[in-house]
Amino acid sequence: MHILAIETSCDETGIAIVDTHTNGDKALVTILAETLLSQAEKHAEYGGVYPSLAKREHAKNLVPLFTEALQQAQMFERAERPEVSKEVLEEIKELLEREPELFAHLVILLAQLKKPSIDAIAVTNGPGLEPALWVGVNFARALSLAWGIPLIPTNHMEGHIAAALAEGEDSTYNMYTPSFPALALLISGGHTELVHIPKWKEYEKIGSTRDDAVGEAFDKSARLLGLPYPGGPEISALALAAREEGLEQVYSLPRPMLTTDDLNFSFSGLKTAVRNLVQSIGTPTPEQRKLVARELEDAITEVLVAKTKRALELHGAKTLIVSGGVAANTHIRKALEELVSEFPEATVHFPLRRLSTDNGVMIALAASFHTPTKDTNISANAHLSLDGTNRKEGKKQ
Ligand code: KG4
Ligand code: ZN
């Protein structure tokens, strides 16, 4: 099956086209096309993602990225005459009423394009920034209307989980089947969640952040240190330098909720502690910056490890899936690998680095678990949860 996947939940516009197939009992996914445009630099001056700017950028970039993806997949074939009727174009115009630029681009494309050999259109319908999600959802609905292709509304967090199950270095991934029960630690700029997975495609959120997400703690603290957005990789590089240079730690930051009797997190106090620390330092020297970064990374890592350990014990998980942008962090990866080595029955899975942060491929991978729906009336839901509530989709496989 050929799946086109669209991701616009945050500040990356991602489009992928994949072919899902099997070899014996192996589920395989071959990447036919992959395009990704990050808006991170555009949001840098705001120190975080600015939703209406994200929406505008997605609307501007979707058609060019889609066109490029079709070309990569060798699916860009010119039609002798337009294949989409005036009536359908009217419907699409209405649908994209709030995205006139996107509509203008799309009309030009549809006028010259033959229907590509795509069997289903997957689109992130949540969670994420509502205005950003809607652009992707409406774009997917427009393509679905134009060509009569069914949709697969896809949960962004399931995309991160699927990304961690993709194995292989070339363009064909083998989708690893976890041993159950599994546990997912989802750590990104918008989420910090522990998810119990008793069996295939069943999710139960067992822990989450009460305030800031772990990626936000990195990003906001980085900003306080005068580092550019996204702050995670910057903090991580400075922390590594502090370790490699053997700098003696002179600062101490709190480990919020480290010993509480639950699986929840709280990171806003940590950010406040970084603010106070930076204020007390004045203008940090490069060395002081490295030490603050290291202390922050250590504090975050300790909390993540402690809560994950507790969840592994409570649920007897056999597979730990770590995913989301923060899963790119080498120090956190190492600490979680060490943790799982204490559980002889368990294995740990991280996404390939190129699949760690938001992209279209991960949405295609998650969509490969689901059946397309004929319902074209799907909507975006900023708070879409993984555990079934709010999930609109076709019959499960
Ligand atoms: O999953 P993602 O691309 O977008 C969301 O869904 O939020 O995650 C982005 C987050 C940002 O907060 C970024 O600072 C963080 O992931 N991040 C990192 C690293 N690379 C990305 N955090 C810590 N260490 C890293 N190496
Ligand atoms: Zn994400």
Side-chain angles (χ1 to χ4, degrees):
M1 180 162 82
H2 287 168
I3 302 178
L4 162 71
I6 300 161
E7 156 64 36
T8 66
S9 69
C10 194
D11 60 347
E12 323 274 343
T13 319
I15 302 235
I17 302 174
V18 306
D19 176 34
T20 61
H21 48 118
T22 52
N23 182 2
D25 57 0
K26 278 189 177 168
L28 303 173
V29 179
T30 300
I31 312 300
L32 304 178
E34 187 179 354
T35 59
L36 183 67
L37 197 72
S38 173
Q39 307 166 6
E41 270 179 24
K42 297 217 152 70
H43 295 278
E45 65 180 288
Y46 303 100
V49 183
Y50 191 59
S52 60
L53 174 63
K55 172 190 144 93
R56 264 202 315 278
E57 288 296 310
H58 290 310
K60 189 166 89 190
N61 298 323
L62 273 169
V63 170
L65 288 182
F66 177 49
T67 308
E68 195 188 320
L70 287 171
Q71 283 162 345
Q72 273 183 30
Q74 310 205 328
M75 288 185 183
F76 193 101
E77 267 189 76
R78 285 185 192 279
E80 296 196 348
R81 67 185 79 85
E83 292 188 353
V84 182
S85 70
K86 284 215 170 77
E87 292 73 31
V88 170
L89 279 180
E90 274 308 309
E91 269 185 82
I92 293 175
K93 186 174 183 184
E94 220 171 283
L95 182 67
L96 298 180
E97 198 180 25
R98 292 191 187 172
E99 286 95 30
E101 190 180 3
L102 176 60
F103 176 71
H105 284 167
L106 187 58
V107 170
I108 296 169
L109 181 70
L110 291 177
Q112 48 176 322
L113 191 65
K114 257 194 187 169
K115 177 184 170 178
S117 71
I118 289 167
D119 305 298
I121 302 170
V123 61
T124 306
N125 68 325
L129 302 169
E130 188 119 1
L133 286 164
W134 270 113
V135 186
V137 166
N138 283 336
F139 182 59
R141 289 173 65 186
L143 295 180
S144 169
L145 273 175
W147 292 318
I149 300 174
L151 294 165
I152 309 180
T154 302
N155 186 303
H156 181 82
M157 303 317 283
E158 194 173 31
H160 279 303
I161 291 175
L165 300 177
E167 298 176 330
E169 280 309 314
D170 56 17
S171 59
T172 294
Y173 298 126
N174 172 32
M175 297 307 289
Y176 173 81
T177 308
S179 301
F180 297 103
L183 176 75
L185 172 67
L186 303 175
I187 40 180
S188 72
H191 298 270
T192 308
E193 286 175 15
L194 277 164
V195 180
H196 171 52
I197 312 174
K199 57 183 192 191
W200 197 226
K201 294 189 285 183
E202 248 185 61
Y203 305 101
E204 184 199 352
K205 200 199 293 184
I206 52 174
S208 58
T209 180
R210 296 201 168 150
D211 38 60
D212 289 354
V214 60
E216 261 180 297
F218 275 112
D219 295 337
K220 290 180 176 172
S221 301
R223 194 171 194 212
L224 292 166
L225 284 169
L227 302 166
Y229 171 85
E234 303 280 334
I235 295 277
S236 169
L238 288 179
L240 177 68
R243 278 185 207 103
E244 282 181 349
E245 291 165 27
L247 300 181
E248 193 192 334
Q249 188 55 276
V250 290
Y251 303 124
S252 112
L253 288 168
R255 272 64 175 155
M257 296 182 70
L258 185 71
T259 54
T260 53
D261 209 12
D262 59 18
L263 298 170
N264 293 323
F265 303 88
S266 165
F267 290 107
S268 77
L270 192 51
K271 165 200 66 194
T272 309
V274 171
R275 174 177 298 127
N276 293 339
L277 177 58
V278 173
Q279 268 169 6
S280 74
I281 295 172
T283 308
T285 62
E287 190 162 298
Q288 286 171 321
R289 267 204 191 129
K290 287 178 197 167
L291 286 173
V292 176
R294 177 178 177 181
E295 179 61 7
L296 176 70
E297 193 175 64
D298 282 344
I300 288 175
T301 306
E302 275 178 46
V303 174
L304 292 176
V305 168
K307 297 288 172 167
T308 307
K309 181 174 186 185
R310 201 179 157 75
L312 285 169
E313 285 167 351
L314 271 175
H315 293 273
K318 296 200 178 104
T319 311
L320 174 64
I321 296 164
V322 186
S323 203
V326 181
N329 183 290
T330 310
H331 187 66
I332 294 173
R333 278 192 185 213
K334 269 200 206 134
L336 290 167
E337 271 165 4
E338 274 168 30
L339 169 69
V340 171
S341 70
E342 294 169 22
F343 294 78
E345 273 201 62
T347 56
V348 60
H349 296 262
F350 298 97
L352 298 164
R353 292 216 185 245
R354 64 175 177 281
L355 295 181
S356 290
T357 47
D358 294 351
N359 61 82
V361 174
M362 71 185 214
I363 300 309
L365 297 175
S368 75
F369 304 158
H370 296 281
T371 312
T373 170
K374 289 262 186 290
D375 180 7
T376 53
N377 199 19
I378 61 166
S379 37
N381 179 350
H383 305 289
L384 186 71
S385 83
L386 254 179
D387 47 24
T389 44
N390 294 322
R391 182 160 193 133
K392 271 193 181 176
E393 63 167 14
K395 215 171 103 259
K396 286 198 174 163
Q397 281 169 331

